[in-house]
Amino acid sequence: MSHPVSPNTVLANALTCAEDVLAPRIHATSPERVVFAVGTQINGAPHLGTSLVQSLTFATAARCRDRYGIPAEVHFGALDNAPAAIVTDPASGHRYQRAYAQTLGAAAVAQLVDDLYRPLFSALSERLNVPYRVETYTEQQIGEHFRRTWLRVLPRLDGARWWLAPSTGLPHVRVPCPASGCGWAEKHAERTRVHPAGVERAEVDAVCLHHGPYTVSVEPTGGGYLDLATLYRNLVKELAVGGDPSTLYVMVKGGDWVFGSQLVDGALQGVGLTRGQLPARLFCPQVVTDTGAKLSKSLIREGRAPLPDGAAPWMLDTRHWHGSLTEYAERLLDLAEVLLSNPRHFFRSYSAVELGRLMNRTRARSAPAP
């Protein structure tokens, strides 16, 4: 595999290896294990950017394990609260969504994950000897610890709400209509109101597209489906995993999250965390088009953006890769080895065409610095 020509940057110049960016946290906390947390919306087949982040997650976990002698594993969050359908209420003008969790049900969501994501995870895990586990958002939000964390956040939300929703100051909470077979919720939660009722319960008032006003309780061990908007969900998730000093959690995201994570970090500090308590983060290279925009399968499929010249259809649906799954996993790991070989290669973006070129070149087991 030929190597990219990468420019120097301030961050790259400060590091010898890409994983050095995690060294301050590892040396400060001396964890007994490291968990690399990565997630994605399961709104269809994965694209190249999703596979790239996932393979880099496994590869970085293996490098940290070998370098520091600390057990490492990968936790994959399957975000089944992604909208499967969106409609506009002609009476109010408000938009409503029905998520995959409510549309498909738990069994079908599990099958979707097994079909589209688990085979690559298993191949990467076996190749690198890095264990992994999968948790859907539905499973996460029903967990007692996650719900207690959210309930504890509510009295402190004033310190975080402008970080979570800078335009309105109203972080979105969606609790889908509980009527049998319904599951619709206001996408932007304009008429949703949360009323804390002590430390063990909150009452949520909302308006359904079909059934009108309704009230749902959320408690540590039950109640309505707690669907939090993206930044809000990350706040609660990161607070929930931060209480175990023996485990270092590394939040792995694509490069497009660099800007959004500033808001999450502000919200975490707004509810009482110190700078040193913020989670470790690893931002992977972003896949972009020839215009510099993120490669978006949604925009391309909707006809609002073209597939970049020289890019292949499999980059939008990795099931169409021209070889076997085993070969695809090996090519991804070869690419990961190149990108992780030098910080200049890792902390940057790549066009879809360049990544296709790198993946289709002859395999090599080393990648010297430029």
Side-chain angles (χ1 to χ4, degrees):
M1 180 180 290
S2 61
H3 313 307
V5 177
S6 302
N8 199 7
T9 64
V10 172
L11 178 59
N13 198 47
L15 308 176
T16 301
C17 303
E19 66 269 20
D20 285 345
V21 74
L22 303 176
R25 296 305 181 92
I26 292 175
H27 288 293
T29 60
S30 300
E32 297 175 11
R33 66 170 184 151
V34 182
V35 172
F36 289 79
V38 62
T40 190
Q41 292 187 339
I42 55 168
N43 54 351
H47 59 88
L48 174 59
T50 301
S51 294
L52 178 65
V53 172
Q54 291 165 353
S55 59
L56 286 169
T57 301
F58 276 93
T60 308
R63 290 170 73 98
C64 284
R65 175 200 62 204
D66 296 342
R67 177 172 177 178
Y68 295 104
I70 305 172
E73 58 190 84
V74 172
H75 289 182
F76 174 65
L79 302 179
D80 57 346
N81 62 330
I86 300 176
V87 299
T88 300
D89 177 13
S92 67
H94 295 172
R95 302 184 78 195
Y96 279 80
Q97 73 174 48
R98 199 164 188 255
Y100 276 80
Q102 283 73 43
T103 302
L104 300 182
V109 166
Q111 189 63 54
L112 181 67
V113 173
D114 287 346
D115 291 344
L116 297 182
Y117 294 93
R118 198 179 290 274
L120 178 59
F121 287 165
S122 296
L124 296 171
S125 175
E126 182 177 358
R127 172 69 176 74
L128 297 175
N129 194 28
V130 173
Y132 77 95
R133 71 177 180 88
V134 176
E135 181 181 54
T136 65
Y137 177 73
T138 295
E139 294 168 333
Q140 184 182 63
Q141 63 83 32
I142 200 63
E144 182 177 352
H145 183 55
F146 185 90
R147 290 187 167 224
R148 286 191 184 279
T149 302
W150 178 69
L151 288 168
R152 287 198 301 268
V153 163
L154 290 180
R156 303 182 180 181
L157 196 58
D158 273 351
R161 63 190 185 95
W162 287 104
W163 290 103
L164 299 176
S167 298
T168 64
L170 298 174
H172 297 166
V173 178
R174 291 181 290 261
V175 179
C177 176
S180 177
C182 187
W184 287 93
E186 273 190 324
K187 181 172 179 58
H188 300 296
E190 294 96 336
R191 293 176 291 184
T192 299
R193 297 294 180 266
V194 179
H195 309 286
V199 296
E200 292 288 313
R201 190 175 82 255
E203 301 288 337
V204 183
D205 297 329
V207 181
C208 177
L209 173 65
H210 301 295
H211 300 99
Y214 62 94
T215 299
V216 176
S217 295
V218 177
E219 301 174 352
T221 57
Y225 189 101
L226 183 61
D227 183 6
L228 305 177
T230 303
L231 297 178
Y232 202 173
R233 179 184 68 243
N234 276 262
L235 168 73
V236 176
K237 177 186 72 175
E238 293 175 7
L239 285 171
V241 301
D244 181 3
S246 68
T247 302
L248 174 66
Y249 281 86
V250 179
M251 303 301 162
V252 185
K253 299 181 180 295
D256 55 313
W257 257 96
V258 169
F259 310 109
S261 290
Q262 297 180 63
L263 296 176
V264 178
D265 287 346
L268 288 167
Q269 293 176 86
V271 298
L273 265 62
T274 65
R275 182 71 184 173
Q277 293 174 314
L278 298 179
R281 302 193 187 280
L282 181 68
F283 299 105
C284 296
Q286 186 175 357
V287 186
V288 300
T289 68
D290 50 1
T291 69
K294 175 184 175 181
L295 181 69
S296 168
K297 65 180 180 182
S298 299
L299 291 180
I300 293 173
R301 288 173 180 173
E302 293 168 2
R304 297 164 61 190
L307 183 68
D309 290 341
W314 69 264
M315 295 179 179
L316 300 183
D317 185 341
T318 57
R319 293 174 297 180
H320 300 315
W321 167 261
H322 48 74
S324 66
L325 175 67
T326 299
E327 181 192 18
Y328 182 58
E330 286 292 337
R331 292 295 182 93
L332 284 170
L333 291 178
D334 287 339
L335 177 60
E337 186 172 331
V338 171
L339 301 188
L340 285 165
S341 68
N342 189 280
R344 294 187 185 189
H345 301 334
F346 191 87
F347 297 105
R348 52 161 290 187
S349 298
Y350 288 87
S351 70
V353 175
E354 175 68 359
L355 284 179
R357 182 189 72 81
L358 290 170
M359 285 192 65
N360 284 291
R361 299 285 291 186
T362 303
R363 292 177 60 184
R365 301 311 302 175
S366 64

